[in-house]
Amino acid sequence: MRRPRAAAAASPPARAAQRRPSPPRRWRRALLALGAGLALVLGALAASPVPSQAAGSRPCDIYAAAGTPCVAAHSTVRALYSAYNGSLYQVSRASDGTTRDIGLLSAGGYANAAAQNTFCAGTSCVITKIYDQSSRHNDLGVEGAGTAGAADHGASASALPVTVAGHPVYGVLVTPGTGYRRTDAAGVAVGGRPESMYMVASGTHVNGGCCFDYGNAEHTVSDTGNGHMDAVYIGTRCHLPPCTGTGPWVAADLENGLFQGSGSNPANKGNNSPFVTALLKNNGQTSFALKGGNSQSGGLSTWWNGALPSGGYTPMKQEGSIVLGTGGDNSNASAGSFFEGVMTSGFATDAADNAVQADIVAAGYSGDSGGSPGATITGPGGTCVDVDGDDTGVNHAAVQLWDCQAAAADQHWTHNGDSSLQTLGRCADIAGNGTANGTKVQLWDCDGVGGQVWKQQADGSLLNPQSGRCLDSPSGATANGTRLQIWDCNGGAAQKFHLD
């Protein structure tokens, strides 16, 4: 049975050599005017500004200038250094398993979403890697199994379209079972050293599942005790009530606690704007600070600036790995949207935080930060096509019927260009690529075989051409947990499946 669902330090990359614009030279007078002309030239050279293209205004430029350089910088939407011109992320194509790195339109600019669109045309893609833009190369890969969760899957590459500075880009849509990790990241704080971090996330695509985090986690994918994590969180879980309103709240995941302060902190009023800047700073010994703000306008609110919690958090005991979308032990029941985030060496200044927030606002985030996880498939009796296992999405998981639940990631399917049906990074698959009546349907890695092709018919059925049979509920059953199969197409109610 499925569980009840929760409600919905490194220097920046070297800059290219820059030229100062040459001032105009005007020699209209005789040699007598030479001295005055030279004075004008020298004056103009002294006053001429560095071109704005490399003005050092991106978040990691700002933090480096303040003495707290980035040791990790991740984004699928834009460069976080003004001179960065490498890849942002990698996608893997379902049709043949090949990968493609997605880069920028220009140095210091925005993601080349058109390259992704071309590569993924006619099929679907997942995000398999998020590159670190810092010189530390702390790239994030899809997270493996931990003590609190099975191996994760990559986010659908096209599920979170937004615009930044008017450019179409894609964020990372985290649904339960999605997560990324870098074990033993270079330069990330360990053993009570100070650090800072922020992420731009959604204030509308959230839940109370543990834990939509970005930041410092354990060496092993397990809970090793209080103070062994230091990650910024946003979600609707109130760990130490009372909490003000219904959230979501920016909090610190310090392991075994999502702290809005050193204890209950009703002063944290939450951030529910479509795009949220969520920021955490920790001196590693005695105190930490939390800030939140609207990523589209305004400044940051300080929700906490004070003592670390008691009970094993002073000093901190960070282990120096990086997680995105999960807790340190791969607690992966969370929902969230990630657009950018950095981690620094050292406790950043408030002035630097404010300048970073101004740069984020200037970036011009726009669109639906909740993304589109796919469409539901309504089956017999008004039930939904669902995957057993509470959004874990492992191979061999039964494809079944279940009461429709709006927050269920595994009830939202993408009907790909190759006619496969995909959820949680895998496809609805006929077991063993079989063709016989009664062969069960399961979830399996999308591999383009005939047993993963489902074509909608005019009578409402879903036909698998390879077998010549239709998706079917045995004997027309509609109870929760009814395992789906293939059967001779007969136009009956047991074979009516509507892609909503």
Side-chain angles (χ1 to χ4, degrees), residues 9-54:
S11 298
R15 292 182 175 82
Q18 300 167 2
R19 290 186 176 181
R20 296 179 185 271
S22 298
R25 294 173 172 84
R26 298 184 179 182
W27 307 102
R28 299 175 179 172
R29 306 261 181 202
L31 192 58
L32 260 166
L34 178 60
L38 284 173
L40 286 172
V41 170
L42 292 173
L45 283 169
S48 178
V50 175
S52 59
Q53 178 65 27

Side-chain angles (χ1 to χ4, degrees), residues 77 110 160-171 275 296 339 363-368:
V77 306
Y110 305 92
L160 187 49
V162 296
T163 61
V164 181
H167 298 281
V169 294
Y170 294 102
F275 297 89
Q296 295 176 296
F339 302 99
Y365 276 95
S366 180
D368 180 4

Side-chain angles (χ1 to χ4, degrees), residues 1-2 36 38 128 147 224 237 277 338 354 456 464 495:
M1 293 290 290
R2 49 202 294 117
L38 284 173
T128 47
T147 55
T224 55
R237 176 170 290 206
T277 307
F338 177 87
N354 292 339
Q456 185 84 68
N464 173 245
Q495 296 182 357

Side-chain angles (χ1 to χ4, degrees), residues 151-217:
D152 292 325
H153 54 80
S156 170
S158 60
L160 187 49
V162 296
T163 61
V164 181
H167 298 281
V169 294
Y170 294 102
V172 182
L173 187 72
V174 172
T175 56
T178 305
Y180 297 86
R181 190 180 191 96
R182 174 74 178 200
T183 300
D184 297 336
V188 173
V190 296
R193 293 178 183 172
E195 63 181 344
S196 304
M197 65 206 72
Y198 82 83
M199 65 174 166
V200 173
S202 174
T204 58
H205 179 228
V206 291
N207 71 358
C210 182
C211 295
F212 185 66
D213 292 341
Y214 173 70
N216 199 324

